[in-house]
Amino acid sequence: MRICGLFRDGTLPGLAFVLMLLALSAGGTEKAVPAVAQSASLAGQFLVATDELRDPRFVRTVVYMVEHDARGAMGFIVNRPLGEVPIAALVERSGLDSKDVSGDIRVHYGGPVDPGRAFMLHTSDYAIDATHVVKDGIAVTSHPEILRAIGTGVGPRRSLFALGYAGWAAGQLEGEIKGGAWVIVPADEALVFDENSEKKWERAMARRTITL
């Protein structure tokens, strides 16, 4: 499956306006590379950027993978928070009723692809038709109803709201891993949703297996 953004028209004018007021921005494009042999799916694991990866969009990033197959791969950077915005404003811009919605939500830079699209990573205790369970109690939902649920106190236990995503064409990610740009480590709820983003890279890198 290919996960779509939360907002139906593929744009996010309301949130873009709020983020502009906060002087926040994100951007970038994919770069295709020749395909290489397909490996086992990395969905549900972390990609951790090594010091070999100098692209400023990915320096010391931790990416939670949600899709990986012969067609390509998709994940979300989980350690680059941008700021906070009112949940009610997002709900209203998505066309839903914002009655009884309160609180703010932290926005994260999810990756350089489609920075105007929004996604919600969350614990799988919450699920609707648009929810895709990835692995080990972590899911992603592609409908703004989850924002209203969070704002009214009936949403998932833990969540991470991201703008954009990290995407790779067929074989591209395998080539980057082979070139030493990424290491693969186990992912879990505790680290995905940890609010101490500054320590996520170090904690994730500590999980790597050293081959002697």
Side-chain angles (χ1 to χ4, degrees):
M1 65 173 294
R2 185 59 59 183
I3 300 169
C4 299
L6 286 177
F7 294 86
R8 290 186 290 268
D9 60 0
T11 62
L12 204 55
L15 181 54
F17 177 73
V18 176
L19 292 182
M20 182 173 65
L21 294 181
L22 294 173
L24 307 176
S25 65
T29 59
E30 293 179 275
K31 180 180 179 181
V33 300
V36 298
Q38 175 67 24
S39 59
S41 176
L42 299 178
Q45 299 191 64
F46 282 135
L47 291 181
V48 187
T50 70
D51 290 335
E52 298 295 321
L53 185 51
R54 302 299 179 89
D55 186 332
R57 300 171 301 174
F58 291 105
V59 170
R60 290 204 164 194
T61 54
V62 179
V63 180
Y64 179 74
M65 300 299 296
V66 298
E67 291 184 356
H68 179 219
D69 56 28
R71 298 171 298 171
M74 175 182 182
F76 300 101
I77 296 171
V78 297
N79 64 328
R80 284 200 178 173
L82 298 173
E84 294 190 353
V85 295
I87 300 175
L90 302 182
V91 171
E92 290 172 3
R93 292 294 180 175
S94 70
L96 298 178
D97 183 5
S98 64
K99 181 181 179 181
D100 299 325
V101 173
S102 63
D104 296 333
I105 193 167
R106 180 180 291 184
V107 181
H108 292 75
Y109 169 69
V113 185
D114 281 348
R117 290 182 179 269
F119 304 85
M120 190 77 72
L121 274 176
H122 59 90
T123 48
S124 59
D125 52 316
Y126 175 93
I128 56 177
D129 288 344
T131 297
H132 168 60
V133 177
V134 182
K135 189 177 181 181
D136 297 332
I138 299 175
V140 57
T141 291
S142 55
H143 192 281
E145 174 61 32
I146 191 171
L147 284 167
R148 196 168 73 87
I150 291 172
T152 56
V154 295
R157 181 167 43 84
R158 305 183 77 174
S159 61
L160 187 149
F161 184 62
L163 284 182
Y165 64 93
W168 294 265
Q172 180 181 2
L173 179 57
E174 289 81 358
E176 292 181 5
I177 293 171
K178 185 176 181 180
W182 304 96
V183 294
I184 305 161
V185 304
D188 58 30
E189 173 189 324
L191 193 50
V192 169
F193 302 111
D194 189 347
E195 294 187 359
N196 188 355
S197 297
E198 292 184 0
K199 296 293 184 180
K200 278 187 179 179
W201 184 84
E202 293 177 358
R203 291 179 58 195
M205 189 60 79
R207 299 183 177 190
R208 61 182 171 172
T209 301
I210 305 299
T211 302
L212 300 177

